[in-house]
Amino acid sequence: MLLPTLRTRASRSLIVVSQRSQFVSPAERLRGNGIVSTRNAYVATQSTLAHLAPELSGPSALSSPTKAAATQSIPTIRWDSSSPLSVTLPSAPFDYITLPNVWLRDTCQCPTCIHPTTRQKTNRTSDVPLDIGVVRAEWIKAQSVSDLGEPEGYGDATNEGWILEVEWDKPIYRHDTTSSGIEGHAISRGANHVSRYSAAILGRLASPKATEAFYQADVLQMRPWLREDLLRPHHSNADNHAERPSTLFIPYSDLLSSKATLLHALKQLTQYGFVVFIGVPTTVPFAGSGDDWELRRVANFISHVRATFYGALWDVKKVGESKNVAYTDLDLDLHMDLLYLSSPPRYQLLHCLRNRNVIGGRSLFVDGIYAAQTLYNEDRKAFEALRDTDVRFHYHNDGHHLTKIHRTFVVDPNSNTSMPNITAINYSPPFQAPLSLQTTPPEFYPALQKFAALLRRPEARYEFLMQEGDVVCFDNRRVLHARGAFTDSPESVRWLKGAYVEADDIVDKVRVLEGMSKRGLI
């Protein structure tokens, strides 16, 4: 048997072991020894080859992987001209991942393809020739973190340090609005492009679970709750007590001064859909003073105010000849706001400015996600009836005529079958229009009764009396809210100031702050 010949690539600290025709299936036999293939060659680090050197004088070099080499987890490549690249990663040295050529070229992370400051793609997926092929492919060891070409926080400790370098056999199309090339493209000229991919990025993209982890899916995952789940401390804290636990009721001064507190508050909001800020100033600004309502500052601190036809901020207090049941002293049962809009606001904030000499008026909150999941477990047919039946909501009053059709349960179509991923609830009896005579199935009515009964279970309901300076913030697409009837007198006053905000800014802050927390920066 002929022995492999060696040559050195000093610039990359690699040794190439060239394949000879007498070797049978060397890719499979060398993978356990940490050998890295480049088409018809195998690349190993100096340390790996030093370990293997005594074995390169006989057949055992190609037949028996060694434990010491395997634990080094050196990435490998398997590739020929008729098939796409297959690679292993340091974190999974025996699992090959297939990387289709068009996908791999489109995913190039180099500064030419991903703008170095904007971090945005400079090419379109449709710019990649469908017959693009690989000229050369090899793993190289990064000499510094900057070699990885990743923004801060992209790294993965199990895969860091290795870069897959791929040279392509043709350039991609360059879009030119004045060109008459293929589909409005013009062929890019010049040398063949060389793409570089860190093992960390390939590992993340190759695993749906890793991709979800990178985008903080678990951190943002809704956690269904009963009353006891809200009251149970999420961490040890001596001042937690029955109605106002400190993990749920967060001092406003801490929110403003601590990134860690802000992260906790926003995770509480995104995961449980409910958090309360306490000690928020209740000062009423004087006209012309230049002051503004503190609620606007709260809303813009965690997100941005979303204006509706009620305005940017709005009042909740008893008024004569009210156009909305919220502006009365009547019992206001569980509901959600503005379901007659095509896109109801995600989060609602209510700031208690005054609550004096009033009897009653306690606030009530219930997690619609928990109730929906319970219905799914207890009566699958009822769940499906609410998931599949259209319900119209409307507001036709006070110079407005708004309407929108929603379904009671909004389910992610990519949900698994064990438990659907419910992304929103639409339930607001005061603003429900007459149901469709033609399309409402008979099974909808008992299903809705079962859901309403679940919402009324005592263990599901969290109730407390808002105090002056409280700002309750809750998920309006998930958590139903209510208010008990109250009685007042000429000396009484109950006054809340309200606002709506959207989710994107909050989710953005959670991802950024969680990344900082994992890196020990907060």
Side-chain angles (χ1 to χ4, degrees):
M1 174 179 288
L2 294 176
L3 297 179
T5 59
L6 309 180
R7 71 178 186 272
T8 302
R9 294 183 182 179
S11 62
R12 293 196 177 112
S13 300
L14 299 174
I15 292 179
V16 176
V17 186
S18 298
Q19 180 189 0
R20 294 292 180 88
S21 59
Q22 285 84 349
F23 295 122
V24 179
S25 302
E28 289 297 322
R29 296 181 181 179
L30 287 177
R31 59 183 286 199
N33 289 328
I35 302 296
V36 184
S37 69
T38 65
R39 198 162 192 167
N40 293 318
Y42 301 91
V43 182
T45 62
Q46 293 275 9
S47 59
T48 301
L49 199 63
H51 177 82
L52 295 176
E55 302 181 34
L56 286 176
S57 59
S60 62
L62 300 176
S63 60
S64 175
T66 63
K67 290 183 179 180
T71 57
Q72 293 185 29
S73 299
I74 298 174
T76 65
I77 301 173
R78 185 167 58 189
W79 160 58
D80 60 51
S81 59
S82 63
S83 61
L85 294 175
S86 292
V87 303
T88 65
L89 300 175
S91 58
F94 302 114
D95 297 324
Y96 275 95
I97 302 165
T98 299
L99 306 173
N101 289 352
V102 175
W103 178 89
L104 190 61
R105 178 62 185 89
D106 181 50
T107 310
C108 181
Q109 300 291 299
C110 81
T112 301
C113 297
I114 302 292
H115 191 279
T117 61
T118 68
R119 298 301 305 167
Q120 295 163 6
K121 285 184 67 175
T122 61
N123 307 316
R124 304 177 303 181
T125 300
S126 56
D127 293 339
V128 181
L130 300 180
D131 60 348
I132 196 167
V134 175
V135 172
R136 175 181 59 85
E138 60 184 319
W139 284 106
I140 64 174
K141 201 75 169 73
Q143 300 302 309
S144 66
V145 174
S146 61
D147 288 346
L148 297 172
E150 300 167 355
E152 186 178 24
Y154 272 51
D156 176 350
T158 62
N159 286 320
E160 267 184 24
W162 286 98
I163 297 172
L164 176 65
E165 190 170 274
V166 180
E167 182 178 353
W168 302 99
D169 67 352
K170 57 176 63 69
I172 65 171
Y173 299 112
R174 289 293 182 184
H175 179 65
D176 183 347
T177 56
T178 64
S179 73
S180 58
I182 299 175
E183 296 182 356
H185 297 74
I187 288 290
S188 176
R189 304 299 178 187
N192 293 344
H193 187 75
V194 176
S195 297
R196 292 160 61 90
Y197 313 85
S198 74
I201 284 181
L202 291 177
R204 168 163 57 83
L205 297 177
S207 164
K209 185 176 181 180
T211 300
E212 292 298 297
F214 174 76
Y215 289 113
Q216 311 282 6
D218 181 64
V219 174
L220 297 166
Q221 183 67 39
M222 293 183 185
R223 287 155 171 73
W225 56 265
L226 294 172
R227 179 180 184 274
E228 65 178 13
D229 299 311
L230 285 186
L231 297 181
R232 183 188 302 120
H234 304 304
H235 53 75
S236 177
N237 197 314
D239 66 351
N240 280 283
H241 56 92
E243 189 174 272
R244 298 171 72 91
S246 63
T247 51
L248 185 61
F249 287 75
I250 298 173
Y252 183 50
S253 57
D254 292 351
L255 183 79
L256 297 179
S257 61
S258 167
K259 285 186 172 64
T261 300
L262 176 60
L263 174 60
H264 164 72
L266 297 184
K267 286 170 66 174
Q268 175 74 29
L269 182 58
T270 56
Q271 293 175 0
Y272 295 91
F274 186 78
V275 70
V276 184
F277 309 134
I278 60 177
V280 180
T282 59
T283 305
V284 177
F286 293 100
S289 66
D291 294 332
D292 200 357
W293 299 97
E294 193 68 23
L295 181 63
R296 191 189 308 273
R297 183 184 182 194
V298 177
N300 287 331
F301 185 70
I302 65 172
S303 181
H304 288 94
V305 171
R306 172 181 166 177
T308 68
F309 68 91
Y310 287 112
L313 306 180
W314 31 272
D315 295 308
V316 181
K317 55 185 177 180
K318 181 181 176 181
V319 297
E321 299 184 1
S322 170
K323 304 297 183 182
N324 189 309
V325 66
Y327 306 151
T328 71
D329 56 6
L330 302 175
D331 184 83
L332 178 57
D333 203 1
L334 291 168
H335 68 286
M336 294 167 160
D337 280 18
L338 278 60
L339 295 190
Y340 39 77
L341 299 183
S342 58
S343 179
R346 187 81 219 190
Y347 294 107
Q348 180 175 170
L349 292 82
L350 291 171
H351 184 193
C352 183
L353 296 173
R354 301 289 184 270
N355 194 8
R356 302 174 185 177
N357 303 315
V358 174
I359 300 174
R362 290 174 68 84
S363 298
L364 173 66
F365 301 89
V366 176
D367 185 13
I369 297 290
Y370 188 96
Q373 290 187 354
T374 302
L375 184 64
Y376 181 84
N377 289 327
E378 294 183 357
D379 190 335
R380 191 70 52 85
K381 293 295 184 182
F383 178 91
E384 292 171 352
L386 298 184
R387 180 197 63 193
D388 298 338
T389 303
D390 290 339
V391 177
R392 181 182 293 277
F393 298 91
H394 68 171
Y395 182 79
H396 191 187
N397 197 0
D398 197 28
H400 299 280
H401 191 178
L402 297 160
T403 184
K404 184 62 181 177
I405 292 174
H406 297 287
R407 294 182 175 180
T408 307
F409 301 152
V410 181
V411 176
D412 182 350
N414 297 316
S415 296
N416 61 53
T417 56
S418 61
M419 177 58 68
N421 179 22
I422 304 166
T423 59
I425 304 290
N426 293 295
Y427 182 83
S428 192
F431 300 98
Q432 181 181 302
L435 294 166
S436 171
L437 181 62
Q438 294 77 29
T439 63
T440 306
E443 57 268 24
F444 173 81
Y445 298 98
L448 191 62
Q449 286 188 349
K450 291 182 177 181
F451 180 61
L454 288 170
L455 297 175
R456 302 195 71 81
R457 289 184 178 179
E459 65 271 21
R461 300 157 74 87
Y462 176 60
E463 184 177 338
F464 77 104
L465 183 66
M466 290 189 70
Q467 300 177 5
E468 293 183 8
D470 289 351
V471 171
V472 59
C473 184
F474 59 93
D475 188 338
N476 183 59
R477 306 307 312 282
R478 167 190 179 178
V479 174
L480 297 95
H481 63 289
R483 182 209 63 214
F486 62 90
T487 58
D488 56 7
S489 65
E491 295 78 28
S492 302
V493 57
R494 184 182 189 278
W495 180 13
L496 308 182
K497 178 73 71 174
Y500 300 112
V501 300
E502 285 303 336
D504 289 331
D505 288 328
I506 291 174
V507 168
D508 175 31
K509 285 182 171 66
V510 170
R511 289 195 181 107
V512 171
L513 292 171
E514 182 71 10
M516 293 175 64
S517 177
K518 288 179 177 178
R519 299 195 300 276
L521 300 179
I522 61 174

